């Protein structure tokens, strides 16, 4: 069942030249996690704010659990939408204790029931015993948990998370990501997660929506986004990618590094770009090889090599860092592409 | 994990029907309320003035004469204030003047001394029956009037001496904020220290000089207390005279109307001048300039600074203390006038409390109304601040006497006057504090189903509490010092400290006036110190 639905939503901020969102159509399934991924300024936070009711789109419609909350005829204010929000900076109330923060959204519950819910939720996020602390007495990770508990306590229809892990230390980030994932699954919470980090989006989301300049580029499973990106932008944004020129001939795609299936069904004679990821390229040293290594970046478990092809195009390859090929080595290339992705020449 | 089973998807509470974020009625009520508070007195004044114009109660000649005196007084007082403020600010900020920190602290004290108290102390010293004349007559054996502070030049002197801190504060802040690298660059390009001051420093200070000068000018333009005590005929004193001696409300309205027009013209000029120029920019690393070594000019400079501070702080306070005489006299006057002290504290406290509450409500609603309506509201409140106290007093008399007689002649009308005059201090203070609060806090509260009232009460009000204390203190200080409107509006027998200072000075009872003035300064200094303390802790 679709829980959140945005259809043809467009939003331009006052005095802004370009729209923040244009013609955006998105759906979130009940119990699922949708991640909105994109570079900064792509409008991803605006999507969250439109769902929460902090921004009002000029056109388009939004429904939450079947109820129209924003269209030409309806406007529901944030406090009546039943959405929970976790802010990037947590936005904890600095003058309230942890328990008071979590209880803030429970004012319509009886005192005893509210106290019970606070205790349950704090237990859920592993902060039992911290009830009387103030936010400034907590570590970043603990503050994050309070923000999560506060948003979850009123049992929102949907939980909106705006770059929730970006303020944490790198090692804390991975741990919190797993914990939050567990909590969301345990509570069957539908959630929308905004991030600019594709690893985070892939790890946490059932579906990923990639946004660029306020437009939806692609929405799909993490695997499909990575392996079969719909646009060159998506291909580039979710990982390293090279685009080699090719030409369709006899129903096959001919490139400098080999012949591939013409999966895009491009007509013969047109210039085509084929996307190749570094993990699909393997290199073997050879004496009169076709390519030469012109750069090497050490990345811990692997080395990323930059090769210069005879035509002057560059191609990258990631190889295990157990063997090192020095810059200048002549190599043969072996392309093992599990998914062939092609675009018409830009 | 004690959570049994998944949390249900249904929200904990039934969703209320959709409605506007801020209850429209509340916003509208505040808007109309503020409008009703400020605008009708002014409109009624304009109407009365137009009627008076037809009657020809005030001749063009007398009007032109008054305008000339008023504007000359304000202009000369501003120039005098500028002469006092500029060297002091430069010496304190940029040189190794002895006791520069102490000087800087002392230089703003005149702000705590209302100009009518300044006038009172100089009258007690240099007036026809003041101390100097008494001493000289006794010393030389010939009873004669040696000095006389009364008149136009006395007015210029007193107004300049007690308004220079406005210029001093802004100019010293600008001097501190200017990047010394700019001046050092000029030196490295071959300019002499004096040339640098003339060609670089002075032009950079011009905006702050202008801003401070306009504040001093507006003060001088609208002041009633000191010109009245020093017997200078300006608009405010003429209005008071028409109203209280000749009982000619129409003439008073006519004069007030002209004064308001002049004030508005000055305000428009101020707005245009200050918005065109940008203030001195503070660069990332605001390093302080190395103080200039005065060398053998160090002590002459200290003498100059000492003279400015003597005129504005030591002499007035010394006169007040000398006139008060003994502790027993002080206590006797306090006992005798206890009721007036209570009146002042009561009414200033009431006005400050209402202003703080209203300020919070207005600043909060203004943030949730369309910008144009918010600007209208803050503009209306600022008009109230710009009206000279005497004019405001007259407008309220005209309006309330006609339409709300049950409020006229009560303490209520005084509270209304104080709110009109000082509400902007509270609104601006609270608005600045609200701007400093992370907007996500309010959004978080709203996403947690909090009503606007709950957001204000549970989140914003506790967070701006130090500011609420500060604006309370500021309005309290302003209301405690208010003389011009109070003199016209107070209920019979309901005198306040400023009114007593004024009356005792007029009656040449300087000893009594001094006690009341000292009390007033003490009562305003206390909350001021609280505010300063909060500012130090960056809470305001």
């Amino acid at each position: 069942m679709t829980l959140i639905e945005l259809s043809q939503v467009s939003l331009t901020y006052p005095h802004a030249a370009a729209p923040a969102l244009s013609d955006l159509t998105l759906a979130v399934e009940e119990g699922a996690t949708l991640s909105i991924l994109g570079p900064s300024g792509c409008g991803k936070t605006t999507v969250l704010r439109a769902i929460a009711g902090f921004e009002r789109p000029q056109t388009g419609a939004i429904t939450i659990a079947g109820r129209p909350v924003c269209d030409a005829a309806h406007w529901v204010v944030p406090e009546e939408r039943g959405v929970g929000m976790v802010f990037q900076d947590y936005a904890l109330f600095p003058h309230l204790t942890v328990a008071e923060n979590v209880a803030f959204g429970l004012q319509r519950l009886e005192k005893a029931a509210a106290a019970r819910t606070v205790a349950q939720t704090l237990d859920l996020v592993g902060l039992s015993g911290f009830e009387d602390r103030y936010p400034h007495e907590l570590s970043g990770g603990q503050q994050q948990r309070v923000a999560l508990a506060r948003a979850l306590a009123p049992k929102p229809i949907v939980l909106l998370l705006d770059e929730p892990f970006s303020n944490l230390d790198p090692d804390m980030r991975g741990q919190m990501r797993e914990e939050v994932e567990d909590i969301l699954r345990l509570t069957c919470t539908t959630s929308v997660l905004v991030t600019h980090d594709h690893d985070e989006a892939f790890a946490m989301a059932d579906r990923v929506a990639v946004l660029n300049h306020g437009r939806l580029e692609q929405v799909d499973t993490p695997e499909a986004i990575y392996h079969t990106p719909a646009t060159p932008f998506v291909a580039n944004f979710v990982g390293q990618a090279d685009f080699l020129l090719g030409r369709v001939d006899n129903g096959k795609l001919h490139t400098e590094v080999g012949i591939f299936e013409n999966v895009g069904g491009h007509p013969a004679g047109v210039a085509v770009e084929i996307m190749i990821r570094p993990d699909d390229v393997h290199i073997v040293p050879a004496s009169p090889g076709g390519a030469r290594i012109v750069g090497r970046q050490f990345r811990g478990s692997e080395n990323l090599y930059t090769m210069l092809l005879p035509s002057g195009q560059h191609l990258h390859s990631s190889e295990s860092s157990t063997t090192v090929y020095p810059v200048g080595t002549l190599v043969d290339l072996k392309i093992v592409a599990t998914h062939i992705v092609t675009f018409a020449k830009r | 994990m004690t959570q049994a089973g998944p949390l249900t998807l249904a929200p904990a509470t039934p969703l209320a029907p959709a409605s506007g974020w801020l209850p429209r009625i509340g916003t509208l009520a505040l808007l109309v309320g503020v409008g009703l508070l400020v605008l009708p007195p002014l409109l009624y004044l304009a109407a009365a003035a137009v009627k008076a114009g037809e009657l020809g109660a005030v001749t063009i000649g007398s009007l032109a004469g008054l305008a000339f005196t008023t504007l000359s007084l304000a202009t000369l007082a501003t120039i005098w204030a500028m002469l006092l403020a500029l060297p002091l600010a430069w010496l304190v900020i940029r040189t190794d003047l002895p006791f520069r920190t102490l000087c800087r602290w002392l230089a703003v004290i005149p702000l705590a001394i209302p100009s009518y108290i300044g006038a009172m102390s100089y009258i007690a010293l240099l007036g026809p029956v003041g101390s100097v004349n008494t001493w000289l007559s006794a010393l030389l054996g010939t009873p004669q009037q040696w000095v006389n502070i009364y008149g136009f030049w006395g007015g210029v002197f007193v107004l300049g001496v007690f308004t220079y801190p406005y210029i001093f504060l802004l100019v010293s802040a600008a001097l501190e904020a200017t990047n010394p690298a700019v001046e050092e660059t000029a030196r490295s390009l071959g300019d002499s220290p004096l040339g640098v001051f003339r060609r670089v420093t002075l032009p950079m200070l011009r905006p702050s000089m202008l801003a401070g000068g306009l504040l001093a000018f507006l003060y001088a333009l609208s002041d009633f207390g000191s010109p009245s005590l020093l017997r200078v005929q300006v608009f405010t004193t003429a209005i008071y005279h028409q109203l209280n001696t000749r009982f000619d409300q129409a003439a008073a309205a006519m004069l007030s109307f002209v004064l308001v027009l002049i004030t508005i013209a000055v305000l428009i000029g101020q707005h245009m001048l200050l918005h065109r120029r940008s203030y001195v920019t503070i660069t990332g690393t605001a390093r302080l300039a190395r103080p200039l070594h005065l060398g053998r000019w160090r002590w002459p400079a200290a003498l100059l600074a000492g003279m400015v501070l003597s005129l504005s702080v030591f002499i007035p306070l010394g006169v007040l203390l000398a006139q008060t005489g003994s502790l027993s006299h002080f206590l006797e006057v306090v006992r005798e006038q206890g009721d007036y002290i209570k009146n002042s504290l009561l009414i200033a406290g009431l006005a400050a409390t209402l202003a703080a509450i209203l300020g919070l409500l207005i600043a909060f609603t203004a943030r949730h109304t369309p910008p144009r309506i918010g600007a209208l509201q803050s503009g209306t409140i600022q008009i109230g601040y710009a009206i000279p106290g005497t004019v405001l007093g007259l407008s309220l008399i005209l309006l309330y006497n006609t339409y709300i007689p049950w409020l006229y002649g009560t303490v209520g009308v005084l509270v209304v006057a104080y709110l009109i005059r000082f509400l902007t201090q509270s609104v601006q203070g609270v608005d600045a504090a609200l701007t400093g609060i992370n907007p996500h806090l309010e959004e978080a509260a709203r996403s947690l189903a909090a009503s606007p009232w709950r957001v204000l009460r549970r989140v914003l009000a506790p967070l701006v509490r130090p500011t609420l204390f500060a604006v309370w203190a500021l309005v309290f200080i302003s209301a405690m010092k208010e003389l011009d409107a109070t003199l016209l509006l107070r209920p019979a027998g309901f005198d306040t400290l400023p009114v007593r200072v004024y009356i005792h000075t007029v009656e040449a009872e300087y000893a009594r006036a001094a006690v009341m003035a000292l009390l007033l300064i003490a009562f305003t200094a206390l909350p001021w110190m609280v505010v300063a303390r909060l500012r130090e802790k960056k809470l305001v």
Side-chain angles (χ1 to χ4, degrees):
Chain A
M1 183 194 134
T2 303
L3 198 67
I4 310 284
E5 213 169 351
L6 285 80
S7 60
Q8 298 178 311
V9 168
S10 294
L11 191 156
T12 307
Y13 285 111
H15 311 299
L21 298 178
S22 43
D23 207 22
L24 186 75
T25 298
L26 258 183
V28 189
E29 294 299 307
E30 187 173 326
T33 297
L34 172 80
S35 179
I36 300 176
L37 178 66
S40 61
C42 71
K44 54 190 191 298
T45 296
T46 308
V47 180
L48 275 202
R49 296 177 60 78
I51 296 173
F54 299 136
E55 304 292 347
R56 185 170 191 170
Q58 280 89 16
T59 56
I62 302 174
T63 59
I64 296 176
R67 170 178 178 235
V69 294
C70 167
D71 56 34
H74 300 87
W75 174 250
V76 178
V77 291
E79 61 267 31
E80 288 159 9
R81 288 195 180 193
V83 299
M85 182 114 179
V86 176
F87 290 87
Q88 186 174 6
D89 53 14
Y90 315 139
L92 297 180
F93 304 127
H95 59 297
L96 301 181
T97 63
V98 167
E100 287 166 342
N101 262 284
V102 177
F104 193 91
L106 304 173
Q107 76 268 22
R108 287 177 212 177
L109 251 57
E110 276 175 40
K111 253 206 172 99
R116 218 162 34 240
T117 308
V118 169
Q120 279 174 358
T121 320
L122 281 177
D123 187 39
L124 181 72
V125 300
L127 275 183
S128 293
F130 287 80
E131 285 83 357
D132 297 328
R133 300 276 191 96
Y134 281 90
H136 67 266
E137 298 171 321
L138 303 177
S139 71
Q142 288 166 336
Q143 292 184 16
Q144 160 98 77
R145 285 165 219 245
V146 177
L148 185 67
R150 185 180 67 180
L152 283 176
K155 302 178 173 60
I157 302 173
V158 60
L159 185 69
L160 308 174
L161 303 119
D162 186 7
E163 304 254 9
F165 309 111
S166 62
N167 276 346
L168 295 173
D169 299 334
D171 44 333
M172 193 70 209
R173 203 176 298 165
Q175 191 196 330
M176 275 311 296
R177 200 192 281 171
E178 278 177 34
E179 280 187 32
V180 171
E181 216 187 328
D182 285 344
I183 290 168
L184 293 183
R185 190 171 315 119
L186 197 79
T187 54
C188 291
T189 303
T190 311
S191 56
V192 180
L193 167 82
V194 155
T195 178
H196 64 271
D197 178 347
H198 53 83
D199 289 335
E200 197 167 292
F202 290 167
M204 294 194 61
D206 301 297
R207 290 170 79 75
V208 175
V210 183
L211 233 61
N212 186 28
H213 294 308
R215 293 184 177 280
L216 186 64
E217 297 265 336
Q218 186 176 7
V219 53
D220 218 324
T221 61
E223 289 80 5
I225 295 277
Y226 185 76
H227 291 299
T228 55
T231 64
F233 172 82
V234 176
N236 250 325
F237 191 75
V238 300
Q240 181 112 29
D242 292 302
F243 300 91
L244 292 183
L245 268 183
R247 191 160 289 279
V248 178
D249 202 8
N250 278 338
K252 294 279 184 191
L253 192 58
H254 297 258
T255 74
E256 197 178 354
V257 294
I259 298 165
F260 302 93
E261 292 295 327
N262 179 15
V263 285
H266 301 280
V270 289
V272 169
E273 282 180 325
I274 177 163
M275 181 200 83
I276 297 174
R277 295 216 181 269
D279 31 344
D280 292 341
V281 180
H282 299 287
I283 55 178
V284 198
S287 2
R292 188 162 54 88
I293 295 176
V294 293
R296 177 176 71 90
Q297 275 177 44
F298 177 59
R299 295 199 165 171
S301 63
E302 55 189 32
N303 278 309
L304 183 72
Y305 293 98
T306 309
M307 270 90 57
L308 182 67
L309 303 181
S311 66
Q313 299 188 88
H314 287 93
L315 187 64
H316 293 84
S317 163
S318 60
E319 294 282 328
S320 142
S321 59
T322 44
T323 42
V324 173
Y325 305 111
V327 169
T329 308
L330 297 172
V331 290
D332 274 341
L333 304 171
K334 232 166 82 189
I335 313 283
V336 191
T338 39
H339 304 83
I340 297 163
V341 178
T342 58
F343 305 106
K345 174 88 174 80
R346 277 169 281 176
Chain B
M1 303 270 168
T2 54
Q3 192 85 21
L7 296 165
T8 49
L9 283 168
T13 47
L15 293 172
S19 68
W21 150 236
L22 250 200
R24 298 259 154 82
I25 296 167
T27 312
L28 201 70
L30 265 181
L31 205 72
V32 172
V34 167
L36 278 180
L37 198 65
V38 178
L39 295 178
L42 276 186
L43 295 177
Y44 196 79
L45 176 71
V50 168
K51 231 165 76 192
E54 288 166 3
L55 294 172
V58 180
T59 66
I60 295 294
S62 67
L63 208 57
L66 264 184
F68 181 75
T69 318
T70 307
L71 289 173
S72 323
L73 179 76
T75 308
L76 290 170
T78 306
I79 293 171
W80 171 227
M82 203 69 93
L83 289 175
L84 291 169
L86 288 185
L88 191 63
W90 185 75
L91 285 173
V92 161
I93 302 296
R94 283 299 173 86
T95 71
D96 60 346
L97 181 80
F99 309 113
R100 51 198 283 228
T101 323
L102 183 68
C103 284
R104 189 173 187 185
W105 190 78
L106 287 171
V108 294
I109 284 191
L111 283 184
I113 306 176
S115 63
Y116 55 85
I117 289 184
M120 175 255 136
S121 63
Y122 274 104
I123 291 169
L125 188 67
L126 302 174
V129 291
S131 310
V132 169
N133 280 326
T134 319
W135 291 330
L136 284 178
S137 300
L139 199 69
L140 301 169
T142 45
Q144 188 186 332
Q145 189 178 308
W146 305 87
V147 287
N148 186 1
I149 187 93
Y150 283 157
F152 181 80
W153 293 103
V156 170
F157 172 79
V158 166
L159 278 169
V161 161
F162 292 96
T163 53
Y164 86 85
Y166 290 115
I167 305 170
F168 174 84
L169 273 177
L170 291 176
V171 170
S172 58
L175 270 172
E176 212 169 25
T178 46
N179 187 352
V182 178
E183 292 171 351
E184 284 161 9
T185 309
R187 283 297 290 277
S188 74
L189 291 170
D191 227 345
S192 68
L194 198 69
V196 170
F197 184 78
R198 204 168 47 81
R199 300 205 308 160
V200 180
T201 314
L202 207 57
M204 285 199 295
L205 290 181
R206 224 170 265 154
S208 52
M209 284 165 58
L210 193 67
L214 276 166
L215 283 178
F217 187 82
L218 279 170
Y219 188 100
L221 198 62
S222 62
D223 193 26
F224 163 78
S226 55
S228 166
L229 290 176
L230 291 163
R231 306 188 184 173
V232 190
Q233 269 293 317
V234 290
F235 270 111
T236 51
T237 55
I239 295 163
Y240 185 77
H241 175 68
Q242 292 291 349
L243 203 59
N244 266 26
T245 327
R246 304 191 47 187
F247 305 103
D248 187 346
Q249 291 193 342
M254 184 72 196
L255 293 172
S256 297
F257 189 62
V258 176
L259 180 57
V260 167
L261 287 184
I262 294 175
T263 310
I264 289 173
V266 174
L267 284 174
I268 290 172
Q270 179 189 36
H271 190 80
M272 274 161 42
L273 281 169
L274 293 183
H275 277 251
R276 217 178 42 207
R277 287 161 200 262
S278 69
Y279 278 85
V280 178
T281 44
I282 304 164
T283 49
T285 49
R287 161 174 72 95
L288 266 185
R290 199 169 48 84
L292 182 78
H293 286 287
L294 290 169
R296 61 202 169 90
W297 291 103
R298 206 159 167 246
W299 292 103
L303 194 68
L304 179 72
M307 269 168 60
V308 175
L309 294 176
S310 297
L311 288 179
S312 61
V313 182
F314 301 137
I315 292 177
L317 290 183
V319 169
L320 291 184
L321 288 172
Q323 287 288 347
T324 300
S326 62
L327 185 67
S328 60
H329 172 252
F330 179 83
L331 291 175
E332 189 194 310
V333 177
V334 169
R335 217 177 0 258
E336 171 196 307
Q337 316 232 354
D339 280 348
Y340 305 131
I341 301 169
K342 255 183 261 163
N343 288 347
S344 262
L345 292 173
L346 173 86
I347 196 156
L350 191 62
T353 308
L354 283 173
I357 295 169
L358 276 175
L360 180 65
L361 290 175
I362 291 171
F364 176 66
T365 47
R367 302 173 77 76
H368 294 285
T369 44
R372 228 177 284 164
I373 295 177
L376 196 74
Q377 182 163 323
S378 87
T380 311
I381 296 171
Q382 277 175 31
I383 290 176
Y385 187 64
I387 307 173
T390 314
V391 175
L392 179 67
L394 170 71
S395 323
L396 288 178
I397 289 174
L398 292 180
L399 182 75
Y400 286 20
N401 209 359
T402 316
Y403 294 106
I404 324 177
W406 53 267
L407 192 61
Y408 178 70
T410 67
V411 174
V413 75
L414 275 180
V415 174
V416 168
Y418 293 169
L419 282 179
I420 293 177
R421 284 204 88 184
F422 307 127
L423 195 54
T424 186
Q425 292 179 353
S426 161
V427 174
Q428 284 180 350
V430 177
D431 184 59
L434 288 178
T435 307
I437 291 177
N438 179 355
H440 287 164
L441 290 182
E442 189 174 329
E443 291 176 353
R446 289 169 64 186
S447 74
L448 292 166
S451 65
W453 175 240
R454 186 171 155 81
V455 170
L456 183 64
R457 203 168 42 87
R458 289 271 299 175
V459 179
L460 299 177
L463 289 175
V464 299
R465 199 162 47 192
T467 303
L468 290 177
F469 282 130
V471 299
W472 188 93
L474 286 177
V475 175
F476 179 80
I477 292 169
S478 302
M480 281 293 283
K481 295 198 298 194
E482 216 290 334
L483 169 70
D484 306 1
T486 313
L487 208 52
L488 291 173
L489 291 173
R490 80 206 136 99
F494 190 90
D495 286 0
T496 61
L497 283 176
V499 172
R500 292 317 289 182
V501 173
Y502 181 84
I503 290 175
H504 289 313
T505 310
V506 169
E507 291 168 355
E509 293 179 313
Y510 303 135
R512 282 206 170 113
V515 173
M516 301 313 267
L518 277 181
L519 276 174
L520 182 54
I521 291 173
F523 280 128
T524 51
L526 214 68
W528 180 250
M529 282 193 288
V530 173
V531 175
R533 187 107 188 92
L534 286 170
R535 285 220 171 115
E536 238 167 65
K537 290 203 264 174
K538 303 258 182 254
L539 284 172
V540 183

